[in-house]
Amino acid sequence: MNYEILINKDNPLSKTYVPENLSEVNSLYKEGILLEKKTLESFKELQKEALKYGYKIDVMSGYRDYDYQNKIYNKLLKEKGFSYTIRSIAKPGCSEHQSGLAIDFCIYRGDNCYIEHELENLEEVK
């Protein structure tokens, strides 16, 4: 795995790119989330350390193939419009999630799960 990979609008991945060594995250948030193995191991260490301080973090999104990124990009485009979409999500092939190295995380406090913009004012992210 090339951990120095650059992925953006100028350096897109091919439609068929799938990283090696994808592993199941076993997230409380959602079943079926995958990450590249070393990335998952590093996140598990971070998760364990955060728990020592009372912070319960988990993965809410990991690897996304090209087609899934295309689906969510087009859905957001239809629901929120072009301006919002280009600020909020990468075009298919241009998302780090396709590498298996990117994580969107969530924070649990008791029975509540906080995601995306809900995280902005939480102590855990300051």
Side-chain angles (χ1 to χ4, degrees):
M1 179 76 199
N2 178 6
Y3 295 101
E4 296 180 9
I5 189 169
L6 175 62
I7 306 158
N8 59 30
K9 65 181 181 176
D10 298 321
N11 300 290
L13 294 169
S14 73
K15 280 184 160 187
T16 58
Y17 179 85
V18 177
E20 298 176 10
N21 301 322
L22 288 173
S23 298
E24 174 75 37
V25 171
N26 295 319
S27 173
L28 294 173
Y29 184 80
K30 180 173 76 173
E31 291 182 12
I33 299 174
L34 302 172
L35 284 174
E36 184 274 332
K37 185 179 179 182
K38 188 174 175 183
T39 303
L40 177 57
E41 290 169 0
S42 295
F43 178 78
K44 291 294 184 184
E45 287 179 36
L46 174 68
Q47 190 177 42
K48 190 168 102 176
E49 287 298 311
L51 199 52
K52 289 180 184 177
Y53 295 94
Y55 303 135
K56 189 174 180 182
I57 60 174
D58 207 352
V59 177
M60 64 169 279
S61 183
Y63 168 71
R64 298 179 197 152
D65 66 22
Y66 184 97
D67 291 336
Y68 183 68
Q69 187 72 17
N70 189 46
K71 179 180 174 182
I72 59 176
Y73 180 86
N74 285 318
K75 182 178 185 224
L76 199 57
L77 193 59
K78 187 175 185 178
E79 291 175 1
K80 301 279 188 171
F82 180 76
S83 294
Y84 180 88
T85 302
I86 62 169
R87 288 189 319 268
S88 303
I89 191 166
K91 289 182 177 181
C94 302
S95 172
E96 296 92 344
H97 283 280
Q98 192 177 342
S99 71
L101 301 173
I103 298 171
D104 290 344
F105 67 94
C106 57
I107 295 175
Y108 285 91
R109 285 188 172 177
D111 293 334
N112 296 322
C113 178
Y114 298 89
I115 63 171
E116 298 175 351
H117 299 293
E118 299 169 340
L119 299 172
E120 292 173 359
N121 296 317
L122 295 182
E123 172 185 313
E124 293 88 336
V125 297
K126 292 188 179 201

